[in-house]
Amino acid sequence: MRYKKAPILEAVLQFSWSPSKSLDELEAVLSSPAFEDFEEPKSRFQIDATVNVDEGAFSHRQRRVGFEIALRNGSEIVFLEEQRLVFVQRAPYDRWEHFSQRALALLSPTVSALRVDEFSRVGLRFVNRIDIPKPSINTDEYVTVSFDGPRHDRGVIEEFQMRVVKPTEKEGIHYALVLATTASPLPGHSSILLDIDVFTRRPVPADDEKLMRTLGEIRNEKNEIFEECLTDEARALFGGVEE
């Protein structure tokens, strides 16, 4: 199902591998023709912090772990790190065919150059913001997930935040769901954040056919979770379904 005004803020595909690749190998990948439309890479760092409570001392170590590159208009961002490639498509989101083909066009030369035969994790994440033209709302009118609280209080749930991680019915496929009210950038509106991350917890061969089958499975799971979280009142905000 494709909505005319889908509430997608960003779509993300992540491919993780082991063992780690060197920064020199990663830099060589980014100089290939597949990435010629992107701006110059920026370094990405990992900061490890340590607190010694007894001595009241704080220390940290900064380590470069990879690179970030983006199109000039910021619509696409790629994180290439020692153990993963992350492709981010920011709004406006076109359609799955365009999004997945763009990601795979960058993934293919990357795994070939880095000699990656298998992924330890494949993840698909969609971050949605449902904008509701009311300054205050009863959240139960728009999402099917609710929290009643420990008591029978008066009124309705006005704000909430939750995160759950669960396995799906498909072996080796799990999901993380974040559902929360959030401030709306639109005057006189309320917003609900619906963040769905579906991922594998099993090795996935980098073989094209098997990878595409896995992507199809996690996409179907993501779509089902999205639809099951929504009420018809929420769907009415999306302008109907495209033919």
Side-chain angles (χ1 to χ4, degrees), residues 34 85 102-114 119 206 208 211:
L85 180 146
R102 282 290 294 158
L104 294 174
L106 301 175
L107 178 70
S108 181
T110 299
V111 298
S112 177
L114 298 179
F119 299 114
D208 287 346
L211 178 59

Side-chain angles (χ1 to χ4, degrees), residues 4-227:
K4 293 179 179 179
K5 296 188 293 185
I8 301 167
L9 293 182
E10 65 178 34
V12 183
L13 271 170
Q14 177 178 320
F15 306 89
S16 302
W17 55 74
S18 185
S20 299
K21 305 302 178 180
S22 71
L23 293 176
D24 288 341
E25 289 177 297
L26 303 181
E27 201 162 19
V29 169
L30 295 180
S31 64
S32 70
F35 295 90
E36 63 183 1
D37 293 334
F38 289 82
E39 296 187 313
E40 288 297 310
K42 299 177 183 178
S43 294
R44 286 179 60 80
F45 295 91
Q46 176 180 299
I47 299 177
D48 298 316
T50 303
V51 178
N52 188 317
V53 178
D54 295 332
E55 298 179 3
F58 172 83
S59 63
H60 72 278
R61 182 173 65 93
Q62 180 174 280
R63 185 173 69 87
R64 189 162 66 144
V65 296
F67 303 93
E68 172 185 338
I69 58 174
L71 292 182
R72 187 172 300 278
N73 64 7
S75 62
E76 294 178 6
I77 302 173
V78 175
F79 304 112
L80 184 58
E81 300 180 356
E82 295 168 324
Q83 291 190 298
R84 65 175 188 164
L85 180 146
V86 182
F87 176 77
V88 181
Q89 171 68 62
R90 289 182 168 170
Y93 174 85
D94 185 1
R95 59 185 67 231
W96 169 256
E97 290 75 18
H98 177 266
F99 167 64
S100 59
Q101 286 171 12
R102 282 290 294 158
L104 294 174
L106 301 175
L107 178 70
S108 181
T110 299
V111 298
S112 177
L114 298 179
R115 300 177 299 281
V116 174
D117 298 320
E118 183 178 81
F119 299 114
S120 55
R121 183 185 190 276
V122 175
L124 173 65
R125 180 184 178 195
F126 274 67
V127 182
N128 305 273
R129 190 188 70 226
I130 303 170
D131 293 318
I132 303 159
K134 298 178 183 178
S136 62
I137 59 171
N138 172 7
T139 57
D140 287 346
E141 293 180 6
Y142 299 94
V143 291
T144 60
V145 181
S146 63
F147 174 71
D148 293 328
R151 310 183 313 178
H152 295 290
D153 297 308
R154 66 183 180 84
V156 298
I157 298 296
E158 299 168 344
E159 298 181 12
F160 70 91
Q161 182 176 7
M162 61 157 286
R163 182 176 187 270
V164 61
V165 180
K166 290 186 66 177
T168 69
E169 292 186 353
K170 290 188 176 294
E171 184 68 29
I173 297 180
H174 298 240
Y175 73 92
L177 171 67
V178 174
L179 193 59
T181 53
T182 186
S184 175
L186 304 175
H189 282 62
S190 302
S191 293
I192 295 176
L193 180 73
L194 178 53
D195 184 338
I196 306 168
D197 185 7
V198 183
F199 54 92
T200 63
R201 280 187 175 167
R202 65 184 183 201
V204 178
D207 172 82
D208 287 346
E209 182 179 344
K210 294 178 181 177
L211 178 59
M212 290 302 296
R213 184 162 60 246
T214 297
L215 290 178
E217 289 177 349
I218 62 178
R219 182 200 177 204
N220 288 340
E221 292 295 322
K222 185 272 299 180
N223 287 343
E224 286 185 13
I225 294 168
F226 177 76
E227 290 296 334

